Amino acid sequence: MTWFTLIMIVMVVSVIACLLFTTRYLFSGRALRWARIIMLLFNVIGMGWFLGRAIIYHLISGPSLIIETVIVGFMTQLICTGFVLVAVTIRFFWRRMMAVPVDESRRRLLGHATIYPAVAAGLSIYGGFWEREATVERSYTIPVKGLGAGAGYRLAQISDIHLGSFFSVAELDKLLRRVAAQKPDMLAITGDLFDDVTQNEKAAQILERYVDAFPDGIWFAFGNHEHFRGIDTIRKYLAKTRVNVLCNENRKVPGKNLYLLGVDYPMDRPHFEAQRKNYMQQAMKNLPADVPAILLAHHPECIDDGAANDIALTLTGHTHGSQFGFLGQPLFPVFKYTRGIVKIGDSYGYVHSGNGSWFPFRLGCPPEIAYFTLKNA
């Protein structure tokens, strides 16, 4: 059993224990007993099945509606528990502040207890069936030194599509059509697109169809899921297309005073940082000095590598923006850089929130298409 698996199991068991405990503030007597039995069965069977698949390199496959319903059910419980814990905490301090006598002989349910699961269910249905498909468009202007006549150059970024049960090749086609309609000069894809061995070849063919929709083509860097799904096979699919694949190398955009670099995803976890920096060194090889350059990478810590090498803009993904946000900020910033623009000196970085996910739920962090317009610094 890996540490990742162990941590996942401990987390899920802890969450379920918390869920079962907080029901005491919503139900009583026989209703409480049945609520706990139903929740326990749902979580053990439903979430156990989901996590059993997710632990194997996030390989989620099966009837999407069933999986989505399981996730919405679990998130309803989780959000409801959060509401209850906040309400109980507020009630506790209110009683102490107002010196309200507490009858320790009996437990009191929260007032209007049915509101909590009702609101939680509403938010869960919204996050599970609406927001995760409600793609937004964001635009940024990036100052670039030495850009010269290239000022006004516009590129689009998509990332973390995760082909599979929750993102089909038909939806990929629709996404590319939407991006192409905005007429950017280039499309950059920062990994984790090819995530379903049954759809990967077709996805490469769809990319090829859209190459001409962008004057300077489509540029691609690998993510960790391309490695999970057979990197050599995916390379062969892409080799049959005109997609510009950048793997620890740099290339000049034809006819433009602009270079693109791309690095592979460091899969050697014990030596992640050393491998990441080595990939960057390879990508920098023979890059002319003081030229405007953009780095494509999957992991957001590559933003540091871009800044260390005076790269104007580093585009990354991987985090999905944490998939949960509040007022535009990630609710779970477990990465050094989790979402949005990062500025280090004169260099900029961007962490894309992703277009798909292997966990079919988003709340306060919708999928996005990011557009970057370059101007002279």
Side-chain angles (χ1 to χ4, degrees):
M1 181 181 295
T2 65
W3 279 107
F4 174 77
T5 303
L6 184 60
I7 291 171
M8 289 283 287
I9 292 173
V10 170
M11 286 178 59
V12 171
V13 170
S14 300
V15 167
I16 291 176
C18 190
L19 296 177
L20 295 174
F21 172 77
T22 53
T23 53
R24 68 195 296 268
Y25 296 103
L26 301 175
F27 305 98
S28 62
R30 182 175 296 178
L32 174 62
R33 182 162 53 253
W34 276 107
R36 285 177 168 172
I37 290 173
I38 293 171
M39 287 174 61
L40 186 60
L41 288 174
F42 177 89
N43 291 322
V44 169
I45 297 173
M47 288 305 295
W49 172 67
F50 177 85
L51 289 171
R53 290 167 172 262
I55 286 171
I56 307 173
Y57 292 146
H58 312 317
L59 180 57
I60 306 300
S61 60
S64 59
L65 183 60
I66 294 176
I67 300 172
E68 290 161 357
T69 301
V70 168
I71 296 303
V72 166
F74 181 77
M75 292 307 302
T76 296
Q77 299 171 68
L78 197 59
I79 295 172
C80 183
T81 293
F83 287 158
V84 169
L85 290 176
V86 170
V88 169
T89 302
I90 293 173
R91 184 176 71 175
F92 173 82
F93 285 107
W94 172 259
R95 285 176 171 175
R96 295 300 181 273
M97 183 175 67
M98 303 302 293
V100 176
V102 178
D103 185 356
E104 299 293 349
S105 64
R106 67 189 186 95
R107 171 183 51 80
R108 296 182 180 179
L109 301 178
L110 288 171
H112 308 292
T114 55
I115 291 177
Y116 299 92
V119 173
L123 287 174
S124 298
I125 291 171
Y126 166 79
F129 292 107
W130 175 258
E131 184 177 308
R132 73 179 183 84
E133 296 183 350
T135 301
V136 300
E137 297 182 358
R138 296 190 170 96
S139 298
Y140 304 89
T141 300
I142 305 296
V144 179
K145 291 181 179 179
L147 193 60
Y153 192 87
R154 189 163 176 256
L155 65 145
Q157 181 197 9
I158 57 177
S159 189
D160 297 87
I161 289 166
H162 290 283
L163 285 174
S165 295
F166 315 118
F167 209 110
S168 66
V169 288
E171 290 171 305
L172 172 62
D173 184 88
K174 180 180 178 181
L175 174 64
L176 292 171
R177 192 183 319 126
R178 177 172 172 177
V179 179
Q182 294 299 317
K183 301 187 182 304
D185 295 291
M186 172 193 297
L187 173 62
I189 305 175
T190 46
D192 280 10
L193 187 161
F194 300 96
D195 205 12
D196 186 337
V197 294
T198 66
Q199 300 187 73
N200 288 342
E201 184 174 14
K202 181 65 174 177
Q205 295 169 358
I206 290 175
L207 290 182
E208 167 62 22
R209 289 211 305 266
Y210 279 90
V211 167
D212 292 328
F214 307 97
D216 290 324
I218 298 175
W219 298 69
F220 183 86
F222 292 117
N224 53 317
H225 280 248
E226 274 81 30
H227 286 271
F228 294 157
R229 304 296 174 247
I231 187 70
D232 292 336
T233 301
I234 293 169
R235 285 180 189 274
K236 291 176 182 178
Y237 294 155
L238 288 169
K240 298 176 182 178
T241 73
R242 291 169 293 160
V243 174
N244 296 284
V245 179
L246 294 171
C247 187
N248 308 329
E249 60 187 300
N250 67 75
R251 204 174 301 165
K252 187 177 186 293
V253 179
K256 301 293 191 303
N257 181 37
L258 181 66
Y259 279 76
L260 257 68
L261 301 83
V263 292
D264 199 358
Y265 187 92
M267 294 298 290
D268 185 0
R269 291 190 180 185
H271 306 97
F272 174 85
E273 186 173 358
Q275 190 177 37
R276 193 192 81 216
K277 290 181 177 179
N278 178 48
Y279 286 169
M280 187 63 192
Q281 288 177 354
Q282 294 179 47
M284 291 291 296
K285 188 175 181 180
N286 298 324
L287 180 71
D290 301 322
V291 294
I294 295 172
L295 170 64
L296 305 186
H298 187 63
H299 199 285
E301 287 187 23
C302 293
I303 290 173
D304 289 337
D305 303 324
N309 288 278
D310 297 320
I311 301 299
L313 175 63
T314 300
L315 301 180
T316 70
H318 189 57
T319 70
H320 300 190
S322 91
Q323 292 190 211
F324 296 84
F326 183 71
L327 299 178
Q329 298 301 313
L331 205 56
F332 305 107
V334 296
F335 293 86
K336 184 176 182 179
Y337 309 118
T338 304
R339 179 178 175 183
I341 285 283
V342 178
K343 188 175 187 297
I344 304 174
D346 292 329
S347 295
Y348 288 80
Y350 192 74
V351 187
H352 196 281
S353 293
N355 296 96
S357 60
W358 58 269
F359 183 81
F361 192 93
R362 285 177 178 266
L363 192 61
C365 185
E368 66 175 351
I369 304 168
Y371 296 94
F372 302 88
T373 300
L374 309 185
K375 70 171 186 178
N376 280 313

